Short mmCIF file of all heavy atoms in Angstrom, two decimals:
data_model
loop_
_atom_site.label_atom_id
_atom_site.label_comp_id
_atom_site.label_asym_id
_atom_site.label_seq_id
_atom_site.Cartn_x
_atom_site.Cartn_y
_atom_site.Cartn_z
N ASN M 2 17.11 -21.45 8.90
CA ASN M 2 17.40 -21.83 7.53
C ASN M 2 16.12 -21.91 6.70
O ASN M 2 16.04 -21.41 5.57
CB ASN M 2 18.12 -23.19 7.58
CG ASN M 2 18.39 -23.73 6.20
OD1 ASN M 2 19.01 -23.08 5.39
ND2 ASN M 2 17.88 -24.93 5.93
N ASN M 3 15.08 -22.54 7.30
CA ASN M 3 13.80 -22.69 6.61
C ASN M 3 13.17 -21.34 6.34
O ASN M 3 12.59 -21.11 5.28
CB ASN M 3 12.85 -23.55 7.44
CG ASN M 3 13.27 -25.00 7.46
OD1 ASN M 3 14.13 -25.41 6.68
ND2 ASN M 3 12.70 -25.78 8.35
N ALA M 6 14.88 -19.74 3.52
CA ALA M 6 14.60 -20.44 2.26
C ALA M 6 13.27 -19.95 1.70
O ALA M 6 13.14 -19.64 0.51
CB ALA M 6 14.56 -21.95 2.50
N ILE M 7 12.26 -19.86 2.56
CA ILE M 7 10.94 -19.39 2.11
C ILE M 7 11.02 -17.91 1.70
O ILE M 7 10.47 -17.51 0.67
CB ILE M 7 9.88 -19.61 3.22
CG1 ILE M 7 9.64 -21.11 3.32
CG2 ILE M 7 8.59 -18.86 2.92
CD1 ILE M 7 8.58 -21.52 4.25
N SER M 9 13.49 -16.41 0.46
CA SER M 9 14.16 -16.26 -0.84
C SER M 9 13.18 -16.50 -1.99
O SER M 9 13.29 -15.86 -3.05
CB SER M 9 15.36 -17.20 -0.94
OG SER M 9 14.91 -18.53 -1.02
N VAL M 10 12.22 -17.41 -1.78
CA VAL M 10 11.21 -17.66 -2.84
C VAL M 10 10.31 -16.43 -3.00
O VAL M 10 9.96 -16.03 -4.12
CB VAL M 10 10.39 -18.92 -2.52
CG1 VAL M 10 9.21 -19.06 -3.46
CG2 VAL M 10 11.28 -20.14 -2.63
N LYS M 13 12.16 -13.94 -4.98
CA LYS M 13 12.21 -14.31 -6.41
C LYS M 13 10.90 -13.93 -7.08
O LYS M 13 10.88 -13.42 -8.20
CB LYS M 13 12.44 -15.81 -6.54
CG LYS M 13 13.89 -16.17 -6.58
CD LYS M 13 14.12 -17.49 -7.29
CE LYS M 13 15.59 -17.79 -7.28
NZ LYS M 13 16.07 -18.36 -6.01
N GLU M 14 9.79 -14.24 -6.38
CA GLU M 14 8.48 -13.92 -6.93
C GLU M 14 8.37 -12.42 -7.18
O GLU M 14 7.91 -11.97 -8.22
CB GLU M 14 7.39 -14.37 -5.94
CG GLU M 14 5.99 -14.10 -6.48
CD GLU M 14 4.91 -14.23 -5.42
OE1 GLU M 14 5.25 -14.46 -4.25
OE2 GLU M 14 3.74 -14.09 -5.79
N ARG M 17 10.32 -11.18 -10.15
CA ARG M 17 9.86 -11.70 -11.45
C ARG M 17 8.47 -11.20 -11.80
O ARG M 17 7.99 -11.40 -12.91
CB ARG M 17 9.89 -13.23 -11.45
CG ARG M 17 11.32 -13.69 -11.51
CD ARG M 17 11.52 -15.13 -11.76
NE ARG M 17 12.95 -15.40 -11.77
CZ ARG M 17 13.48 -16.58 -11.60
NH1 ARG M 17 12.70 -17.63 -11.43
NH2 ARG M 17 14.78 -16.74 -11.63
N GLU M 77 -0.56 -20.03 -2.03
CA GLU M 77 0.03 -21.34 -1.76
C GLU M 77 -1.07 -22.40 -1.68
O GLU M 77 -0.89 -23.53 -2.13
CB GLU M 77 0.79 -21.31 -0.42
CG GLU M 77 2.08 -20.51 -0.46
CD GLU M 77 3.30 -21.35 -0.74
OE1 GLU M 77 3.15 -22.53 -1.06
OE2 GLU M 77 4.40 -20.80 -0.67
N SER M 80 -2.86 -22.78 -5.32
CA SER M 80 -2.06 -23.51 -6.30
C SER M 80 -1.56 -24.83 -5.71
O SER M 80 -0.83 -25.55 -6.36
CB SER M 80 -0.88 -22.66 -6.75
OG SER M 80 -0.05 -22.41 -5.65
N ARG M 81 -1.94 -25.11 -4.51
CA ARG M 81 -1.63 -26.36 -3.79
C ARG M 81 -0.13 -26.56 -3.56
O ARG M 81 0.31 -27.67 -3.26
CB ARG M 81 -2.22 -27.55 -4.53
CG ARG M 81 -3.72 -27.42 -4.77
CD ARG M 81 -4.19 -28.35 -5.86
NE ARG M 81 -4.34 -29.68 -5.33
CZ ARG M 81 -5.49 -30.22 -4.95
NH1 ARG M 81 -6.59 -29.52 -5.06
NH2 ARG M 81 -5.57 -31.44 -4.49
N THR M 82 0.65 -25.51 -3.71
CA THR M 82 2.09 -25.62 -3.44
C THR M 82 2.35 -25.79 -1.95
O THR M 82 3.42 -26.19 -1.54
CB THR M 82 2.83 -24.37 -3.94
OG1 THR M 82 2.10 -23.23 -3.51
CG2 THR M 82 2.96 -24.35 -5.43
N ILE M 83 1.32 -25.47 -1.16
CA ILE M 83 1.47 -25.58 0.29
C ILE M 83 1.65 -27.04 0.72
O ILE M 83 2.32 -27.32 1.72
CB ILE M 83 0.25 -24.93 1.01
CG1 ILE M 83 0.58 -24.64 2.46
CG2 ILE M 83 -1.01 -25.78 0.89
CD1 ILE M 83 -0.41 -23.73 3.14
N PHE M 84 1.09 -27.97 -0.06
CA PHE M 84 1.15 -29.37 0.36
C PHE M 84 2.55 -29.96 0.24
O PHE M 84 3.06 -30.49 1.21
CB PHE M 84 0.09 -30.19 -0.38
CG PHE M 84 -1.30 -29.72 -0.03
CD1 PHE M 84 -2.06 -29.00 -0.94
CD2 PHE M 84 -1.83 -29.94 1.23
CE1 PHE M 84 -3.32 -28.53 -0.60
CE2 PHE M 84 -3.09 -29.47 1.57
CZ PHE M 84 -3.84 -28.77 0.66
N PRO M 85 3.17 -29.88 -0.95
CA PRO M 85 4.55 -30.38 -0.97
C PRO M 85 5.46 -29.61 -0.02
O PRO M 85 6.41 -30.18 0.52
CB PRO M 85 5.00 -30.19 -2.43
CG PRO M 85 3.94 -29.47 -3.12
CD PRO M 85 2.70 -29.46 -2.28
N LEU M 86 5.14 -28.33 0.22
CA LEU M 86 6.00 -27.55 1.11
C LEU M 86 5.88 -28.03 2.56
O LEU M 86 6.88 -28.29 3.22
CB LEU M 86 5.62 -26.06 1.01
CG LEU M 86 6.37 -25.12 1.94
CD1 LEU M 86 7.86 -25.18 1.69
CD2 LEU M 86 5.89 -23.68 1.77
N LEU M 87 4.63 -28.16 3.02
CA LEU M 87 4.46 -28.58 4.42
C LEU M 87 4.73 -30.07 4.63
O LEU M 87 4.76 -30.54 5.76
CB LEU M 87 3.06 -28.20 4.91
CG LEU M 87 2.84 -26.71 5.19
CD1 LEU M 87 1.44 -26.44 5.66
CD2 LEU M 87 3.84 -26.16 6.20
N ALA M 88 4.90 -30.80 3.52
CA ALA M 88 5.29 -32.21 3.66
C ALA M 88 6.79 -32.32 3.92
O ALA M 88 7.32 -33.41 4.08
CB ALA M 88 4.92 -32.97 2.39
N LYS M 89 7.45 -31.18 3.94
CA LYS M 89 8.89 -31.14 4.25
C LYS M 89 9.04 -30.81 5.74
O LYS M 89 8.08 -30.39 6.39
CB LYS M 89 9.56 -30.04 3.41
CG LYS M 89 9.25 -30.07 1.92
CD LYS M 89 10.14 -31.02 1.18
CE LYS M 89 9.88 -31.05 -0.32
NZ LYS M 89 8.64 -31.68 -0.74
N PRO M 90 10.24 -31.01 6.27
CA PRO M 90 10.42 -30.75 7.71
C PRO M 90 10.39 -29.26 8.03
O PRO M 90 11.41 -28.65 8.35
CB PRO M 90 11.78 -31.37 8.02
CG PRO M 90 12.49 -31.39 6.73
CD PRO M 90 11.47 -31.53 5.66
N ILE M 91 9.23 -28.70 7.91
CA ILE M 91 9.08 -27.27 8.18
C ILE M 91 7.78 -27.07 8.96
O ILE M 91 6.78 -27.72 8.66
CB ILE M 91 9.08 -26.48 6.84
CG1 ILE M 91 9.04 -24.98 7.10
CG2 ILE M 91 7.92 -26.86 5.96
CD1 ILE M 91 9.31 -24.16 5.85
N SER M 92 7.83 -26.21 9.96
CA SER M 92 6.62 -26.00 10.76
C SER M 92 5.80 -24.87 10.13
O SER M 92 6.30 -24.07 9.33
CB SER M 92 6.98 -25.65 12.19
OG SER M 92 7.56 -24.38 12.23
N ARG M 93 4.55 -24.80 10.52
CA ARG M 93 3.69 -23.74 9.99
C ARG M 93 4.17 -22.37 10.45
O ARG M 93 4.07 -21.39 9.72
CB ARG M 93 2.25 -23.98 10.42
CG ARG M 93 1.67 -25.23 9.77
CD ARG M 93 0.21 -25.39 10.09
NE ARG M 93 -0.28 -26.65 9.56
CZ ARG M 93 -1.56 -26.95 9.41
NH1 ARG M 93 -2.48 -26.07 9.77
NH2 ARG M 93 -1.94 -28.11 8.93
N LYS M 255 -5.71 -24.10 11.47
CA LYS M 255 -6.35 -24.33 10.17
C LYS M 255 -6.04 -25.73 9.66
O LYS M 255 -4.88 -26.12 9.57
CB LYS M 255 -5.84 -23.30 9.17
CG LYS M 255 -6.98 -22.65 8.46
CD LYS M 255 -6.57 -21.53 7.58
CE LYS M 255 -7.77 -20.96 6.91
NZ LYS M 255 -8.59 -20.09 7.70
N ALA M 256 -7.11 -26.50 9.31
CA ALA M 256 -6.90 -27.82 8.73
C ALA M 256 -6.65 -27.64 7.24
O ALA M 256 -7.31 -26.85 6.59
CB ALA M 256 -8.11 -28.69 8.95
N LEU M 257 -5.64 -28.35 6.74
CA LEU M 257 -5.35 -28.26 5.31
C LEU M 257 -5.84 -29.53 4.65
O LEU M 257 -5.42 -30.62 5.01
CB LEU M 257 -3.84 -28.12 5.08
CG LEU M 257 -3.19 -26.86 5.63
CD1 LEU M 257 -1.69 -26.94 5.47
CD2 LEU M 257 -3.72 -25.64 4.91
N THR M 258 -6.73 -29.40 3.71
CA THR M 258 -7.22 -30.60 3.03
C THR M 258 -7.04 -30.43 1.54
O THR M 258 -7.20 -29.35 1.00
CB THR M 258 -8.70 -30.84 3.33
OG1 THR M 258 -9.38 -29.61 3.20
CG2 THR M 258 -8.90 -31.40 4.71
N LEU M 259 -6.68 -31.55 0.92
CA LEU M 259 -6.46 -31.55 -0.53
C LEU M 259 -7.79 -31.53 -1.28
O LEU M 259 -8.77 -32.01 -0.79
CB LEU M 259 -5.68 -32.79 -0.94
CG LEU M 259 -4.19 -32.79 -0.59
CD1 LEU M 259 -3.64 -34.18 -0.67
CD2 LEU M 259 -3.42 -31.89 -1.53
N TYR W 14 -14.40 -35.06 10.16
CA TYR W 14 -14.47 -33.69 9.63
C TYR W 14 -15.81 -33.09 10.00
O TYR W 14 -16.80 -33.83 10.09
CB TYR W 14 -14.40 -33.69 8.10
CG TYR W 14 -13.04 -33.99 7.53
CD1 TYR W 14 -12.84 -35.06 6.65
CD2 TYR W 14 -11.96 -33.19 7.84
CE1 TYR W 14 -11.60 -35.32 6.11
CE2 TYR W 14 -10.71 -33.46 7.29
CZ TYR W 14 -10.54 -34.51 6.43
OH TYR W 14 -9.32 -34.76 5.89
N THR W 51 -6.69 -40.42 0.80
CA THR W 51 -6.00 -39.12 0.87
C THR W 51 -5.98 -38.59 2.30
O THR W 51 -4.97 -38.03 2.75
CB THR W 51 -6.67 -38.12 -0.09
OG1 THR W 51 -6.61 -38.68 -1.40
CG2 THR W 51 -5.99 -36.79 -0.08
N ASN W 55 -2.90 -37.44 4.41
CA ASN W 55 -2.86 -36.11 5.04
C ASN W 55 -2.44 -36.19 6.49
O ASN W 55 -1.72 -35.32 6.99
CB ASN W 55 -4.23 -35.43 4.94
CG ASN W 55 -4.50 -34.87 3.55
OD1 ASN W 55 -3.60 -34.83 2.72
ND2 ASN W 55 -5.73 -34.49 3.30
N LEU W 58 1.23 -36.82 6.71
CA LEU W 58 2.03 -35.64 6.34
C LEU W 58 1.83 -34.47 7.29
O LEU W 58 2.42 -33.41 7.11
CB LEU W 58 1.66 -35.21 4.91
CG LEU W 58 2.06 -36.24 3.85
CD1 LEU W 58 1.29 -36.01 2.57
CD2 LEU W 58 3.56 -36.21 3.60
N GLY W 59 0.95 -34.66 8.28
CA GLY W 59 0.75 -33.61 9.28
C GLY W 59 -0.20 -32.51 8.84
O GLY W 59 -0.30 -31.48 9.50
N PHE W 60 -0.90 -32.69 7.71
CA PHE W 60 -1.85 -31.66 7.25
C PHE W 60 -3.12 -31.68 8.09
O PHE W 60 -3.80 -30.68 8.24
CB PHE W 60 -2.25 -31.88 5.79
CG PHE W 60 -1.13 -31.86 4.81
CD1 PHE W 60 -1.26 -32.45 3.55
CD2 PHE W 60 0.08 -31.24 5.11
CE1 PHE W 60 -0.24 -32.44 2.64
CE2 PHE W 60 1.12 -31.23 4.20
CZ PHE W 60 0.96 -31.84 2.96
N VAL W 61 -3.47 -32.86 8.57
CA VAL W 61 -4.71 -33.03 9.34
C VAL W 61 -4.36 -33.74 10.64
O VAL W 61 -3.57 -34.70 10.62
CB VAL W 61 -5.74 -33.87 8.53
CG1 VAL W 61 -6.96 -34.20 9.36
CG2 VAL W 61 -6.14 -33.15 7.26
N PRO W 78 7.41 -31.84 12.94
CA PRO W 78 7.97 -31.57 11.60
C PRO W 78 9.16 -32.48 11.26
O PRO W 78 9.34 -32.87 10.10
CB PRO W 78 8.41 -30.11 11.68
CG PRO W 78 7.57 -29.51 12.76
CD PRO W 78 7.32 -30.62 13.74
N ARG W 81 9.08 -35.58 9.05
CA ARG W 81 9.03 -35.47 7.60
C ARG W 81 10.42 -35.31 6.97
O ARG W 81 10.53 -35.08 5.77
CB ARG W 81 8.12 -34.30 7.21
CG ARG W 81 6.69 -34.49 7.71
CD ARG W 81 5.75 -33.49 7.15
NE ARG W 81 5.88 -32.17 7.74
CZ ARG W 81 5.32 -31.77 8.89
NH1 ARG W 81 4.57 -32.63 9.58
NH2 ARG W 81 5.48 -30.56 9.34
N GLN W 82 11.45 -35.41 7.80
CA GLN W 82 12.82 -35.22 7.30
C GLN W 82 13.20 -36.30 6.27
O GLN W 82 13.92 -36.01 5.32
CB GLN W 82 13.79 -35.24 8.49
CG GLN W 82 15.26 -35.02 8.15
CD GLN W 82 15.54 -33.60 7.64
OE1 GLN W 82 14.91 -32.63 8.05
NE2 GLN W 82 16.49 -33.49 6.70
N TYR W 86 7.22 -36.55 -0.85
CA TYR W 86 5.78 -36.59 -1.06
C TYR W 86 5.43 -36.00 -2.42
O TYR W 86 5.90 -34.92 -2.79
CB TYR W 86 5.07 -35.81 0.05
CG TYR W 86 3.62 -35.50 -0.24
CD1 TYR W 86 2.68 -36.53 -0.38
CD2 TYR W 86 3.17 -34.19 -0.37
CE1 TYR W 86 1.34 -36.23 -0.64
CE2 TYR W 86 1.84 -33.89 -0.62
CZ TYR W 86 0.93 -34.92 -0.76
OH TYR W 86 -0.39 -34.64 -1.03
N PRO W 88 2.00 -34.94 -4.38
CA PRO W 88 0.53 -34.88 -4.35
C PRO W 88 -0.09 -35.32 -5.67
O PRO W 88 0.62 -35.41 -6.68
CB PRO W 88 0.26 -33.41 -4.08
CG PRO W 88 1.46 -32.68 -4.50
CD PRO W 88 2.61 -33.62 -4.45
N LEU W 90 -2.22 -33.80 -7.67
CA LEU W 90 -2.09 -32.79 -8.73
C LEU W 90 -0.87 -31.95 -8.39
O LEU W 90 -0.78 -31.40 -7.30
CB LEU W 90 -3.33 -31.91 -8.78
CG LEU W 90 -4.62 -32.63 -9.14
CD1 LEU W 90 -5.82 -31.78 -8.79
CD2 LEU W 90 -4.64 -33.01 -10.61
N TYR W 92 1.25 -28.78 -8.70
CA TYR W 92 1.36 -27.39 -9.13
C TYR W 92 2.53 -26.81 -8.38
O TYR W 92 2.60 -26.95 -7.16
CB TYR W 92 0.10 -26.61 -8.75
CG TYR W 92 -1.13 -27.04 -9.49
CD1 TYR W 92 -2.09 -27.82 -8.87
CD2 TYR W 92 -1.32 -26.65 -10.81
CE1 TYR W 92 -3.22 -28.21 -9.55
CE2 TYR W 92 -2.46 -27.04 -11.49
CZ TYR W 92 -3.41 -27.82 -10.86
OH TYR W 92 -4.53 -28.21 -11.53
N TYR W 93 3.42 -26.18 -9.08
CA TYR W 93 4.57 -25.60 -8.40
C TYR W 93 4.66 -24.13 -8.68
O TYR W 93 3.93 -23.62 -9.51
CB TYR W 93 5.84 -26.38 -8.76
CG TYR W 93 5.71 -27.78 -8.24
CD1 TYR W 93 5.34 -28.82 -9.07
CD2 TYR W 93 5.81 -28.03 -6.88
CE1 TYR W 93 5.12 -30.09 -8.56
CE2 TYR W 93 5.59 -29.30 -6.36
CZ TYR W 93 5.24 -30.31 -7.21
OH TYR W 93 5.01 -31.55 -6.70
N TYR W 94 5.52 -23.46 -7.95
CA TYR W 94 5.67 -22.02 -8.10
C TYR W 94 5.93 -21.67 -9.57
O TYR W 94 6.94 -22.08 -10.13
CB TYR W 94 6.80 -21.52 -7.22
CG TYR W 94 6.58 -21.87 -5.76
CD1 TYR W 94 7.22 -22.97 -5.19
CD2 TYR W 94 5.72 -21.12 -4.99
CE1 TYR W 94 7.00 -23.30 -3.86
CE2 TYR W 94 5.49 -21.45 -3.66
CZ TYR W 94 6.13 -22.54 -3.11
OH TYR W 94 5.91 -22.88 -1.81
N PHE W 96 6.77 -19.08 -10.99
CA PHE W 96 7.87 -18.17 -11.32
C PHE W 96 9.24 -18.82 -11.11
O PHE W 96 10.26 -18.14 -11.20
CB PHE W 96 7.75 -16.90 -10.48
CG PHE W 96 7.46 -17.18 -9.03
CD1 PHE W 96 8.50 -17.37 -8.14
CD2 PHE W 96 6.16 -17.29 -8.58
CE1 PHE W 96 8.24 -17.66 -6.82
CE2 PHE W 96 5.90 -17.58 -7.25
CZ PHE W 96 6.93 -17.77 -6.37
N LEU W 97 9.25 -20.14 -10.79
CA LEU W 97 10.54 -20.81 -10.59
C LEU W 97 10.77 -21.81 -11.71
O LEU W 97 9.82 -22.34 -12.29
CB LEU W 97 10.55 -21.57 -9.25
CG LEU W 97 10.43 -20.76 -7.96
CD1 LEU W 97 10.51 -21.70 -6.76
CD2 LEU W 97 11.51 -19.71 -7.86
N ASN W 98 12.05 -22.11 -11.98
CA ASN W 98 12.34 -23.22 -12.88
C ASN W 98 12.66 -24.45 -12.03
O ASN W 98 12.74 -24.35 -10.80
CB ASN W 98 13.48 -22.87 -13.86
CG ASN W 98 14.77 -22.52 -13.14
OD1 ASN W 98 15.10 -23.11 -12.13
ND2 ASN W 98 15.50 -21.54 -13.67
N GLU W 101 15.61 -24.18 -9.62
CA GLU W 101 15.36 -23.30 -8.47
C GLU W 101 14.41 -23.95 -7.47
O GLU W 101 14.58 -23.81 -6.27
CB GLU W 101 14.78 -21.96 -8.95
CG GLU W 101 15.79 -21.08 -9.65
CD GLU W 101 15.15 -19.92 -10.39
OE1 GLU W 101 13.95 -20.00 -10.72
OE2 GLU W 101 15.85 -18.94 -10.66
N PHE W 105 15.36 -24.79 -3.65
CA PHE W 105 14.54 -24.30 -2.53
C PHE W 105 14.22 -25.43 -1.55
O PHE W 105 14.44 -25.33 -0.34
CB PHE W 105 13.26 -23.66 -3.10
CG PHE W 105 12.15 -23.45 -2.10
CD1 PHE W 105 12.36 -22.75 -0.91
CD2 PHE W 105 10.87 -23.93 -2.36
CE1 PHE W 105 11.33 -22.53 0.00
CE2 PHE W 105 9.83 -23.73 -1.46
CZ PHE W 105 10.06 -23.04 -0.28
N TYR W 106 13.75 -26.56 -2.11
CA TYR W 106 13.41 -27.68 -1.22
C TYR W 106 14.66 -28.27 -0.56
O TYR W 106 14.61 -28.70 0.59
CB TYR W 106 12.64 -28.75 -1.99
CG TYR W 106 11.21 -28.34 -2.33
CD1 TYR W 106 10.69 -28.52 -3.60
CD2 TYR W 106 10.38 -27.77 -1.36
CE1 TYR W 106 9.38 -28.14 -3.91
CE2 TYR W 106 9.09 -27.39 -1.65
CZ TYR W 106 8.58 -27.57 -2.92
OH TYR W 106 7.30 -27.20 -3.21
N LYS W 108 17.20 -26.66 0.38
CA LYS W 108 17.55 -25.78 1.51
C LYS W 108 16.71 -26.15 2.73
O LYS W 108 17.20 -26.14 3.86
CB LYS W 108 17.30 -24.33 1.13
CG LYS W 108 18.43 -23.66 0.40
CD LYS W 108 18.10 -22.18 0.23
CE LYS W 108 18.86 -21.59 -0.93
NZ LYS W 108 18.32 -20.28 -1.32
N ILE W 109 15.43 -26.45 2.48
CA ILE W 109 14.55 -26.78 3.61
C ILE W 109 15.01 -28.09 4.27
O ILE W 109 14.92 -28.24 5.49
CB ILE W 109 13.09 -26.85 3.13
CG1 ILE W 109 12.62 -25.43 2.84
CG2 ILE W 109 12.18 -27.52 4.17
CD1 ILE W 109 11.23 -25.29 2.37
N PHE W 110 15.54 -28.99 3.46
CA PHE W 110 16.04 -30.25 4.04
C PHE W 110 17.44 -30.07 4.63
O PHE W 110 18.04 -31.03 5.10
CB PHE W 110 16.06 -31.35 2.98
CG PHE W 110 14.71 -31.96 2.75
CD1 PHE W 110 14.03 -31.76 1.56
CD2 PHE W 110 14.11 -32.74 3.72
CE1 PHE W 110 12.78 -32.32 1.36
CE2 PHE W 110 12.85 -33.31 3.52
CZ PHE W 110 12.18 -33.10 2.33
N ASN W 111 17.92 -28.86 4.55
CA ASN W 111 19.23 -28.54 5.11
C ASN W 111 20.35 -29.34 4.47
O ASN W 111 21.33 -29.73 5.13
CB ASN W 111 19.22 -28.78 6.62
CG ASN W 111 19.87 -27.64 7.35
OD1 ASN W 111 20.47 -26.77 6.73
ND2 ASN W 111 19.77 -27.66 8.67
N LEU W 137 11.00 -22.29 -16.96
CA LEU W 137 10.00 -22.11 -15.91
C LEU W 137 9.02 -23.28 -15.92
O LEU W 137 8.61 -23.75 -16.98
CB LEU W 137 9.23 -20.80 -16.12
CG LEU W 137 10.01 -19.50 -15.90
CD1 LEU W 137 9.12 -18.29 -16.12
CD2 LEU W 137 10.64 -19.42 -14.51
N GLN W 153 11.07 -33.26 -6.87
CA GLN W 153 11.08 -32.57 -5.58
C GLN W 153 10.86 -33.57 -4.44
O GLN W 153 11.37 -33.39 -3.34
CB GLN W 153 10.09 -31.40 -5.54
CG GLN W 153 8.61 -31.71 -5.65
CD GLN W 153 7.96 -32.21 -4.37
OE1 GLN W 153 8.41 -31.87 -3.27
NE2 GLN W 153 6.95 -33.04 -4.52
N ASP W 165 0.57 -39.75 -3.98
CA ASP W 165 -0.89 -39.76 -4.06
C ASP W 165 -1.30 -39.79 -5.53
O ASP W 165 -1.19 -38.78 -6.23
CB ASP W 165 -1.43 -38.49 -3.37
CG ASP W 165 -2.92 -38.57 -3.13
OD1 ASP W 165 -3.53 -39.59 -3.51
OD2 ASP W 165 -3.48 -37.61 -2.56
#
Side-chain angles (χ1 to χ4, degrees):
Chain M
N2 176 56
N3 289 348
I7 290 184
S9 69
V10 170
K13 271 205 180 80
E14 181 193 4
R17 288 191 180 160
E77 289 266 8
S80 63
R81 305 162 80 99
T82 46
I83 198 166
F84 297 107
L86 176 60
L87 286 180
K89 310 275 182 289
I91 184 169
S92 69
R93 293 186 185 196
K255 230 173 180 78
L257 297 173
T258 46
L259 286 163
Chain W
Y14 286 123
T51 302
N55 283 350
L58 294 161
F60 300 159
V61 173
R81 299 190 285 277
Q82 181 67 33
Y86 166 63
L90 297 164
Y92 293 104
Y93 296 100
Y94 302 99
F96 45 89
L97 296 182
N98 60 37
E101 288 167 338
F105 164 53
Y106 287 134
K108 275 186 203 166
I109 288 180
F110 280 111
N111 225 351
L137 291 181
Q153 65 79 29
D165 193 359

